[in-house]
Amino acid sequence: RHKKLEKQNMLSQATIDQMPGGYHRCSLEEGHPFLYISDRFLAILGWTREEIKTKFHNKFDNMLHPDDRNLSADYTARILDTCGHGFTQDQIYRLLGKDGYHWVTDATTLVKSGNQTFFQGNITDITDFVKEKEKKEQELEDSNRILNERNRILSALSRNYTTVLLCDLKQDTFEVVKGDTFTHNDPEEKQQLVRGSNCYSERIRFFFENVLIKDSAPEYLERLLPEYLMNELNEKDSMEIYHKTIPNESGSRHFLARAIRLSNEEDHFKIILGFYSVDEIIKKEQEIELQKDIIEGLGKVYFSVLAVELDKDRVLSYRESGENGKIISDFCRKCGNRWSKIIPSYAKMMVSDSTNGEFEKQLGLEALRLQEEDYSLTYEFKSETGIQYYQVRVAYVKKKDGTRMAVVGTRNIDSLIKKERMQEEMLKKAYAAAENANKAKTEFLNNMSHDIRTPMNVILGYNQLMKAQLTEPKQLDYQKKIEQSGKLLLAIINNVLDMAQIESGKMKVDENYEIVGEVVDEIISTFASEAEERGIHLSGSMQVTHRNILCDGTKIREIYVNLVSNAIKYTPRGGNVTITVEELPCEKEGYIKIKAEIKDTGIGMSKEYLPTLFEPFSREHNTTIGKVGGTGLGMPIVKKMVDLMGGSLEVESELGKGTIFTVTLMHKIADKKYYSRKIETVEESDRGEDLRGKHVLLAEDNDLNAEIAVTVLEETGLVIERVEDGIQCVNRIEQMASGTYDLILMDIQMPNMDGYQATQCIRHLNDKKKAEIPIIAMTANAFAEDRKRALDAGMNGHIAKPIDIEKLGAVILSGFI
């Protein structure tokens, strides 16, 4: 194919000689050097080949008129960019001959021969057609002006329009200058049928019937058919019509058709008909319209919307609604729409004395200029009916010139503020009611604790005294069952009261010095006899390096008691309960992590029940069927206490295979000062000797409790004297000589004067020895806050009823030491 093309374009010498014009062939190199010049080319211009070589350096461009050289270069570049091999196009330019410049036409062709590409052309001298130069110059200039204008129109259409048609309405013809309108979903054969015709009317009808969405421009066909369009364009140079089409492959659907009249002659009416997409314009207009709607909607909230040009100190009113908006706009007009004058004037006359200072400070011109972020301000407006609450919203926008503008909106929020204040007042009342209810609940719990523990103290106390007197096996069995039931009832009471304390938020962590391992030893010692009776093997092990810690020993003991008690309770005879304690690495300096694992081989729990294990009063059916007693509060209390101390509690269990509870807590390592002191220990065997002969004043209003306490304490060798209330206790200490009593056991709830008041009176006695006598609270008020209150009142210790003889002896002994 290429060789055939080369033969067609490479002209023979005989053909060249027969051509009427002047043939030339030029290289594409700079200046376009001549590769060949025909004799006729030389004859037209009057040069010899030698003269062209010497005078023009054998370059075509050097022969061109200076004004035409750029034209030639642009033309050449355009040909290279857009034209293919063998493409021929005419151009007109001026070449220098011996007798001056000759106007010539040149039919130029781009030729590729092997690896070489060049131009070949054939010039015809048209200088005669441009004679009478001066006469025709003006006409040519006018013609060029019109032509240039039309060219600019055509150029603009070519750049911006997707389709451009050159139409002759009188001839009812068209030709496609750019693009095509057939880029839709019509059958190809149908498109080809219309493509084959150059009838303008057919093309317009096809477009209207098959591409156009008729509702968008129902007048489209009428206005663009030749007769109507010629009449319209006779009255004006151009017309436009908007329409929508079936989306094409690029998705465009909004178009504008523009018709421009070129000429109206006897047999011809020529127009340019162009189509360009306005999708982006429509989209932008829709966005702007939406923004206007949103702004208008938002603006309705504000009765006044002002735009403050910060650089010019000028105010433009965007919205003024109702009487409130009119008041602000009146101030703007009176102050010449200058923000710097509006704010002080408005603040003085319309803003309350309590808020006008802040109003001016935050809304003054300099404040607006310095502020970067949007903000709001609430102020008190002085209306005719009294104070109303208004809110000012300031939002910043940047104008096209780069300067900032503040949009200031004002709205009435009086009802909102008053509603909020009403709700706030209601919340305060509700809070006060809740506080009173909580206080009443606390008082109720304290009273209930005292009222329940007092008879429990009597029951368990007399049971303990009776135990020493019984020898008959059946009676001992009865006594043992009373003791077990009493302890279970006491445990239930303790759990209920603990849960109430936790839920009220009054339970706090109280850290003191402890030695890791002692708690485990205590727990094993406490449950050893019960485990032995049940035939359960109870054991413990410990692997801890840092044994001296600070922790809430009371709560940790309660956690262990609940977990070990449950393990023993739900483990059948012959089973095992194991307590394992180990130290874990801790990332926090000065602290250790202690992991305690309580493992049993008991009845276990189902997977379905485990998620509800820590819910209050939750118990699994297999425990109730097995008639194992309990309130369902032990596990929730353990979980709450672990959470309170920032630890974790995990459980693994399977029916018939037992349960493992794992408690992990972080504790501070105790300083040396806590354990460097010599701690004197008193052996149980020596305790009686230490207490024997000591004189104790017992303040107790309940006769039964007093009888039990006196009996128990006298068995330890103490000498007991009783008084019935706080006044008697204070009077007795005042009346008796110093040293008469070694210790006071003080009940808290007593008539006439309670234990706290009595302690305070004693601590303020003039006799220092009397004032410093050890005082231990022995009371049914058993909460941690009661213990703290006792110590704050000046007491030395606290023991809760029902009385545990061993604990009571230890506390009394510590009071003496």
Side-chain angles (χ1 to χ4, degrees), residues 227-372:
E227 185 176 350
Y228 187 99
L229 186 55
M230 283 190 288
N231 290 334
E232 187 168 351
L233 291 179
N234 271 328
E235 296 176 4
K236 51 187 179 181
D237 290 337
S238 66
M239 60 83 72
E240 287 183 341
I241 181 168
Y242 163 79
H243 58 280
K244 288 166 65 176
T245 70
I246 300 168
N248 61 18
E249 59 189 8
S250 65
S252 299
R253 57 179 304 168
H254 298 274
F255 286 90
L256 199 66
R258 175 176 290 174
I260 301 172
R261 174 167 52 85
L262 294 179
S263 64
N264 183 5
E265 302 168 1
E266 184 177 350
D267 297 324
H268 302 281
F269 194 111
K270 294 185 178 181
I271 69 167
I272 289 289
L273 182 59
F275 299 82
Y276 67 93
S277 172
V278 292
D279 281 291
E280 288 301 319
I281 297 172
I282 296 292
K283 182 180 178 182
K284 194 67 177 177
E285 287 176 350
Q286 289 173 344
E287 288 177 356
I288 292 171
E289 194 63 33
L290 179 61
Q291 289 174 0
K292 286 182 179 178
D293 291 342
I294 292 171
I295 292 170
E296 186 64 27
L298 292 175
K300 289 178 181 178
V301 176
Y302 297 88
F303 58 75
S304 169
V305 179
L306 305 174
V308 183
E309 293 181 316
L310 299 176
D311 58 327
K312 298 177 181 177
D313 186 18
R314 185 172 64 183
V315 177
L316 305 173
S317 179
Y318 181 82
R319 175 181 173 81
E320 50 186 75
S321 174
E323 186 62 28
N324 294 330
K326 186 176 182 302
I327 290 172
I328 293 178
S329 63
D330 286 345
F331 269 95
C332 292
R333 284 188 283 273
K334 289 176 184 176
C335 298
N337 289 315
R338 292 184 62 190
W339 189 257
S340 59
K341 294 186 177 295
I342 295 168
I343 289 301
S345 176
Y346 182 86
K348 182 179 180 181
M349 298 186 64
M350 307 307 300
V351 183
S352 72
D353 294 340
S354 60
T355 60
N356 59 11
E358 192 65 20
F359 181 88
E360 280 195 71
K361 179 182 176 182
Q362 291 202 33
L363 292 177
L365 182 62
E366 288 306 314
L368 288 189
R369 286 172 174 171
L370 292 173
Q371 184 64 254
E372 296 291 336

Side-chain angles (χ1 to χ4, degrees), residues 438-506:
N438 193 49
K439 184 178 179 182
K441 176 183 176 182
T442 301
E443 290 176 357
F444 168 76
L445 288 172
N446 283 332
N447 291 332
M448 187 176 74
S449 171
H450 183 274
D451 292 345
I452 293 175
R453 286 174 184 275
T454 297
M456 282 303 301
N457 180 55
V458 174
I459 293 170
L460 293 177
Y462 277 114
N463 180 73
Q464 187 70 20
L465 295 176
M466 184 174 62
K467 183 178 181 180
Q469 307 296 325
L470 297 176
T471 56
E472 204 271 320
K474 194 169 187 178
Q475 291 177 338
L476 282 171
D477 181 58
Y478 293 157
Q479 181 275 331
K480 181 179 179 181
K481 289 175 179 175
I482 292 172
E483 183 178 9
Q484 287 176 344
S485 296
K487 286 183 177 180
L488 176 60
L489 180 58
L490 184 60
I492 292 171
I493 293 169
N494 286 337
N495 282 342
V496 171
L497 295 177
D498 279 345
M499 199 65 194
Q501 285 288 93
I502 290 169
E503 289 181 349
S504 69
K506 292 182 178 295

